Amino acid sequence: MGIGELLLLAVGLSMDAFAVSVCKGLSVRKAEVKHGLLVGAYFGGFQALMPAIGYLLGRQFESL
């Protein structure tokens, strides 16, 4: 996987997170810092967790 493919993947993931965060922001009546930090923590956690899971699964099946 080259740098161009990695950049395209990163842009795709960030657009997805941006769209969901905009919808979450529009659904809240009163925006509070707590909501922003919570959403950021969820997105950051899942954006870090998914590649780690993919790496671990890839390592399990690399011999196949």
Side-chain angles (χ1 to χ4, degrees), residues 1 5 9 12 14 20-21 25-26 28-30 39 42-44 48-56 58 62 64:
M1 183 178 283
E5 294 161 329
L9 182 63
S14 65
V20 173
S21 63
L26 290 172
V28 182
R29 286 193 179 265
K30 183 180 176 192
V39 169
Y42 280 132
F43 276 113
L49 184 66
M50 292 304 160
I53 291 172
Y55 172 77
L56 292 173
E62 71 181 334
L64 300 176

Side-chain angles (χ1 to χ4, degrees), residues 24-63:
K24 173 67 176 165
L26 290 172
S27 69
V28 182
R29 286 193 179 265
K30 183 180 176 192
E32 296 179 12
V33 175
K34 182 180 99 171
H35 289 132
L37 292 175
L38 187 62
V39 169
Y42 280 132
F43 276 113
F46 281 111
Q47 294 288 346
L49 184 66
M50 292 304 160
I53 291 172
Y55 172 77
L56 292 173
L57 286 174
R59 293 271 315 224
Q60 295 295 319
F61 295 108
E62 71 181 334
S63 64

Side-chain angles (χ1 to χ4, degrees), residues 1-15:
M1 183 178 283
I3 189 73
E5 294 161 329
L6 286 174
L7 287 174
L8 285 173
L9 182 63
V11 168
L13 287 173
S14 65
M15 285 190 294

